[in-house]
Amino acid sequence: MDTADLGLPVDVPSTALFTDRYELTMLQAALRAGTADRRSVFEVFTRRLPGGRRYGVVAGTGRVLDAVENFRFDGGVLDFLAQHRIVDEPTLAWLADFRFRGDIWGYPEGEVYFPGSPIMRVEGTFAEAVLLETVILSILNHDSAVAAAASRMSVAAGGRPLIEMGARRTHELAAVAAARAAYVGGFATTSDLAAGFRYNIPTVGTSAHAFTLLHDSERDAFVAQVDSLGSDTTLLVDTFDVAEAVRTAVEIAGTELGAVRIDSGDLLLLAHRVRQQLDDLGAKGTKIVVTSDLDEYAIASLAAAPVDAYGVGTRLVTGSGHPTCSMVYKLVARAESDAADAPLVPVAKKSMGAKTSIGGRKWAARRLDADGVAEAEVVGSGPVPEALADRTLLVELVRGGEIVAREPLDAARDRHAAARAGLPLSATQLSQGEPVLPTEYLQA
Amino acid sequence: MDTADLGLPVDVPSTALFTDRYELTMLQAALRAGTADRRSVFEVFTRRLPGGRRYGVVAGTGRVLDAVENFRFDGGVLDFLAQHRIVDEPTLAWLADFRFRGDIWGYPEGEVYFPGSPIMRVEGTFAEAVLLETVILSILNHDSAVAAAASRMSVAAGGRPLIEMGARRTHELAAVAAARAAYVGGFATTSDLAAGFRYNIPTVGTSAHAFTLLHDSERDAFVAQVDSLGSDTTLLVDTFDVAEAVRTAVEIAGTELGAVRIDSGDLLLLAHRVRQQLDDLGAKGTKIVVTSDLDEYAIASLAAAPVDAYGVGTRLVTGSGHPTCSMVYKLVARAESDAADAPLVPVAKKSMGAKTSIGGRKWAARRLDADGVAEAEVVGSGPVPEALADRTLLVELVRGGEIVAREPLDAARDRHAAARAGLPLSATQLSQGEPVLPTEYLQA
């Protein structure tokens, strides 16, 4: 089947090709060597949080489940692999029947994470688990980066609503995932209609400078907008002169005017002036929306300003300086031999440099202090200590290839708010620092 | 129609929803006000290049053409818009019949650009042109950011081939576009199979640390790989001890070994040591591929090292510090009145701050000095001076809604190499500085 009919600007028939070529060549070599069926455990984790962040946010888990479910090699894909001699005939035959039949556990979506947290664990034969590396990392690295930025922005905004409006600043489908991740991180709405369509996230938006410039005067533009969208619309007031525009806006829409939007200039100063002017005009209920290169710091700097909502674009969808997480997907254990009942042995890269990792299939738990506040991320590969048994973090996501943990997006959003609230207060400092929880390793 | 069958992790039936909600509400208000049919000219440009870069690279043009062609509102989309009351009935009826029938001109893909360059110009009714804002900006902002990083990396690499391997660090479909943009910018190959499938970019890749760790010894792993992939494969030599691995690799594959890959540690030091060792073992033709958080600076620092190819991931797909361009889509001219033959008048936002722009429908030309080297980007809104007539930059892309400028991706890649070669030598300095060409405005 071909996606050309669908008008998508991409033409990729299955998630199976969101894969680096080496996964297929490793599969081929392992099939031939007889090692492809060795039971294997891969884990997703990061070695550090970016840029002095205090916590990370797991996002994309729901999308990973969709991708795993749809990871099949159909005719068109197999033809491509054959034609370009990417793998040999026995491997093609193996791929034609492939579906993932292993198990996946992971931090539930919206949960926070720290360096070394086993965010996701994929267990199955080497063959089936190695194939998922790229698509899982793509989704988690992208979505978690956006969610982390969103979470910081939502902290900075206090209770004020945040609008995601970054679609124009990122790839058109990354934008849809970014709106989803932003929602998990605490954003209220999105400007992106595709995100509304796909994930049912509430959409917002009224007008741009072009609408004002289309008309013979700002007054004509405001009349046109209010006439069509009602007086509770949001009028953009910074095309020419803000004070003049606010006066005209209230004159046309009345004191019931929904909101005004300021998209340039000194937002702190303008917000105060516009609030005063609106109040003086009797439009005490008219809200002020600000947009213009905002990030968590700019949002925080407006905390004392009379702002009712923030629209955030570029800095959100690019992870506020950290557009990707450094999550990796590493083989941490595998069957000791080719025997069907061979026990698992831990494995890890051992060479020099910062890229070493800790072998063994791991659990994780968040230890609380006497007040119920999180105090450590505990990761281990032996039995879970009894005191931590009800604080373990990984949940079952896929059992024998079947998805067992679908949930509405609001569940992830609520979980994130709760998880963040359970961290020490210093978690929500915007300044650079150490992760707010230390990661403690309990060796088996 | 529904994309669920296709196994895509997204479910968006048309490019029409890669749109910010305000474009539709502006359309509704303009339809009602009778201004929707005013002839309008929108231009895409940037106010600055990111981070002291010397030039920008236009990429994504071909994807824009696909997106415009497929920008239709079908039943499912219209139902969504109606159900969520995003627009009113007259607007829904208008959208049901919509296809873009206007004209698009632009810098051809691969061309370089500077602040103020009119990278793309969309002309039609306000209604049809305003709708394309988000999807055009998404594509150009993302793809051009990656292409700019790729171009700098390809300069730094000299003639050595660059491998794109960043799929795991970005959204799974952004990755496909990133591989495409990297190819335009000068990369030779990609690890991303979807990019090979969709754009016919050559794919490469052999094995990861997991493959070595799966086996009972590094030797077993190398034997398995060479047995399956042949002696001209690339063996990964940094899982345990590099010197030991290189010795084993040549022992198993012989002096015909294709390449070794080093993915951690001090690459400069290791490349020299490994080259010496390979030469001593008689494997003088065996190549050295390095990968590991490379960017243009790291690549440049390896210029004197015996490296044969570079694999680049994270820093490429995230634009080497600048994951998006700041391209905007602005109304620069529109019909003076609602009359069918009304002349165009220039328009521009006029308020304070850095967001002002220059009105009027523009042309651009690259002026050469006596030696044939580019010396200025000339932008104007009046007639083109005769001396620049054969140096104009915008080409016709869409005429009356029909795509007229499809081309193979190699044409864009070749054009980029030629355009870059036509710039002053300082264009290829990696250090921060001013744009290598000044932009001169010739007012009408």
Side-chain angles (χ1 to χ4, degrees), chain A residues 1 3 5-15 17-26 28-30 32-33 35 38 40 42 63 70 76 80 84 86 126 133-134 137-139 141-142 167-174 176-177 191-194 196-200 203-211 213-216 224-225 227-229 238-240 261 263-265 292 314 318 323-328 330-331 334 336 347-352 355, chain B residues 1 3 5-15 17-26 28-30 32-33 35 38 40 42 63 70 76 80 84 86 126 133-134 137-139 141-142 167-174 176-177 191-194 196-200 203-211 213-216 224-225 227-229 238-240 261 263-265 292 314 318 323-328 330-331 334 336 347-352 355:
Chain A
M1 194 181 291
T3 59
D5 299 338
L6 302 169
L8 285 172
V10 289
D11 185 20
V12 177
S14 150
T15 57
L17 282 185
F18 298 137
T19 296
D20 285 317
R21 178 169 167 149
Y22 77 2
E23 287 150 38
L24 295 192
T25 47
M26 285 191 276
Q28 173 182 314
R32 184 169 169 127
T35 48
R38 286 189 172 186
S40 296
F42 284 84
R63 298 209 306 118
N70 295 311
F80 165 73
H84 289 77
I86 288 168
F126 176 80
E133 175 177 25
T134 304
L137 287 179
S138 288
I139 293 172
N141 271 323
H142 173 268
R168 63 192 55 197
R169 300 297 182 203
T170 187
H171 181 277
E172 64 278 17
L173 280 155
V176 183
S191 65
D192 187 344
L193 289 170
F197 181 86
R198 177 65 183 83
Y199 296 116
N200 215 24
T203 61
V204 296
T206 54
S207 65
H209 297 113
F211 187 78
L213 295 172
L214 169 69
H215 292 88
D216 296 335
Q225 185 174 331
D227 186 41
S228 175
L229 302 175
D238 70 335
T239 305
F240 302 109
R261 178 161 78 97
D263 184 45
S264 58
S292 185
T314 307
T318 58
T324 187
C325 304
S326 49
M327 290 184 194
V328 293
K330 292 294 171 188
L331 182 68
R334 50 108 177 141
E336 195 172 30
V347 294
K349 180 177 185 301
K350 296 252 170 53
S351 75
M352 75 292 287
K355 284 192 175 179
Chain B
M1 194 181 290
T3 57
D5 298 340
L6 303 168
L8 287 171
V10 290
D11 184 19
V12 176
S14 149
T15 57
L17 282 185
F18 298 136
T19 296
D20 286 317
R21 178 169 167 151
Y22 77 0
E23 287 150 37
L24 295 191
T25 48
M26 285 191 275
Q28 173 182 313
R32 184 169 169 128
T35 48
R38 286 188 171 186
S40 296
F42 285 83
R63 297 209 308 117
N70 295 312
F80 164 75
H84 288 77
I86 288 167
F126 176 79
E133 176 177 24
T134 304
L137 287 179
S138 289
I139 293 172
N141 271 322
H142 173 269
R168 63 191 55 199
R169 300 297 182 203
T170 187
H171 181 278
E172 65 277 18
L173 280 154
V176 183
S191 64
D192 187 346
L193 290 172
F197 181 86
R198 176 67 182 84
Y199 296 116
N200 215 24
T203 62
V204 296
T206 53
S207 65
H209 297 114
F211 187 77
L213 295 172
L214 168 69
H215 292 88
D216 296 335
Q225 183 173 332
D227 187 40
S228 175
L229 302 174
D238 70 334
T239 305
F240 303 109
R261 178 161 78 98
D263 183 46
S264 59
S292 186
T314 306
T318 59
T324 186
C325 305
S326 50
M327 290 183 194
V328 292
K330 293 294 171 187
L331 181 67
R334 50 114 176 135
E336 194 171 32
V347 295
K349 180 176 185 300
K350 296 254 171 52
S351 76
M352 76 288 290
K355 285 193 175 180

Side-chain angles (χ1 to χ4, degrees), chain A residues 81-316:
Chain A
L81 298 175
Q83 191 188 330
H84 289 77
R85 300 175 184 223
I86 288 168
V87 287
D88 60 16
E89 283 296 331
T91 309
L92 288 172
W94 189 95
L95 291 173
D97 288 333
F98 176 72
R99 54 173 287 236
F100 180 75
R101 293 185 176 82
D103 304 319
I104 303 180
W105 288 64
Y107 279 40
E109 187 157 12
E111 186 54 270
V112 298
Y113 72 84
F114 300 91
S117 295
I119 292 159
M120 191 169 279
R121 190 175 71 209
V122 178
E123 189 163 351
T125 64
F126 176 80
E128 66 187 346
V130 77
L131 290 181
L132 300 180
E133 175 177 25
T134 304
V135 73
I136 286 178
L137 287 179
S138 288
I139 293 172
L140 294 179
N141 271 323
H142 173 268
D143 292 14
S144 299
V146 175
S151 177
R152 286 163 61 85
M153 290 170 184
S154 89
V155 165
R160 295 172 179 172
L162 288 158
I163 308 161
E164 185 284 307
M165 38 194 283
R168 63 192 55 197
R169 300 297 182 203
T170 187
H171 181 277
E172 64 278 17
L173 280 155
V176 183
R180 181 186 182 282
Y183 189 75
V184 170
F187 272 54
T189 54
T190 179
S191 65
D192 187 344
L193 289 170
F197 181 86
R198 177 65 183 83
Y199 296 116
N200 215 24
I201 301 169
T203 61
V204 296
T206 54
S207 65
H209 297 113
F211 187 78
T212 298
L213 295 172
L214 169 69
H215 292 88
D216 296 335
S217 67
E218 188 172 61
R219 172 176 298 270
D220 283 4
F222 287 0
V223 167
Q225 185 174 331
V226 170
D227 186 41
S228 175
L229 302 175
S231 59
D232 63 341
T233 190
T234 299
L235 292 171
L236 179 60
V237 293
D238 70 335
T239 305
F240 302 109
D241 177 82
V242 173
E244 175 71 27
V246 170
R247 193 157 45 238
T248 307
V250 176
E251 200 181 309
I252 289 164
T255 53
E256 303 303 298
L257 175 61
V260 295
R261 178 161 78 97
I262 311 170
D263 184 45
S264 58
D266 180 335
L267 299 177
L268 181 63
L269 182 75
L270 285 172
H272 280 288
R273 281 196 192 162
V274 168
R275 181 75 269 155
Q276 184 66 53
Q277 189 184 3
L278 287 169
D279 290 349
D280 291 348
L281 293 167
K284 291 182 190 295
T286 300
K287 292 181 170 168
I288 298 176
V289 182
V290 295
T291 57
S292 185
D293 293 331
L294 296 177
D295 62 9
E296 61 268 47
Y297 304 102
I299 292 167
S301 76
L302 291 166
V307 167
D308 299 285
Y310 304 92
V312 190
T314 307
R315 296 290 288 178
L316 173 69

Side-chain angles (χ1 to χ4, degrees), chain B residues 84-271:
Chain B
H84 288 77
R85 299 174 186 226
I86 288 167
V87 288
D88 59 16
E89 283 296 331
T91 309
L92 289 172
W94 190 95
L95 291 173
D97 289 333
F98 176 73
R99 54 172 288 233
F100 181 76
R101 293 185 176 83
D103 304 319
I104 303 180
W105 287 64
Y107 279 40
E109 187 156 13
E111 186 53 90
V112 298
Y113 71 86
F114 300 91
S117 294
I119 293 158
M120 190 169 279
R121 188 175 73 210
V122 178
E123 189 162 351
T125 65
F126 176 79
E128 67 187 345
V130 77
L131 290 180
L132 299 181
E133 176 177 24
T134 304
V135 73
I136 286 178
L137 287 179
S138 289
I139 293 172
L140 294 180
N141 271 322
H142 173 269
D143 292 13
S144 299
V146 175
S151 177
R152 285 163 62 83
M153 291 168 182
S154 88
V155 165
R160 295 172 178 172
L162 289 158
I163 307 160
E164 186 284 307
M165 38 192 285
R168 63 191 55 199
R169 300 297 182 203
T170 187
H171 181 278
E172 65 277 18
L173 280 154
V176 183
R180 181 185 182 283
Y183 188 75
V184 170
F187 273 54
T189 54
T190 178
S191 64
D192 187 346
L193 290 172
F197 181 86
R198 176 67 182 84
Y199 296 116
N200 215 24
I201 301 168
T203 62
V204 296
T206 53
S207 65
H209 297 114
F211 187 77
T212 299
L213 295 172
L214 168 69
H215 292 88
D216 296 335
S217 67
E218 189 171 59
R219 172 176 298 270
D220 282 4
F222 287 180
V223 167
Q225 183 173 332
V226 169
D227 187 40
S228 175
L229 302 174
S231 60
D232 63 343
T233 190
T234 299
L235 292 170
L236 179 61
V237 293
D238 70 334
T239 305
F240 303 109
D241 178 83
V242 174
E244 174 71 28
V246 170
R247 194 158 42 240
T248 307
V250 176
E251 199 181 311
I252 290 163
T255 54
E256 303 302 298
L257 174 61
V260 296
R261 178 161 78 98
I262 312 171
D263 183 46
S264 59
D266 180 334
L267 298 177
L268 181 62
L269 182 74
L270 286 172

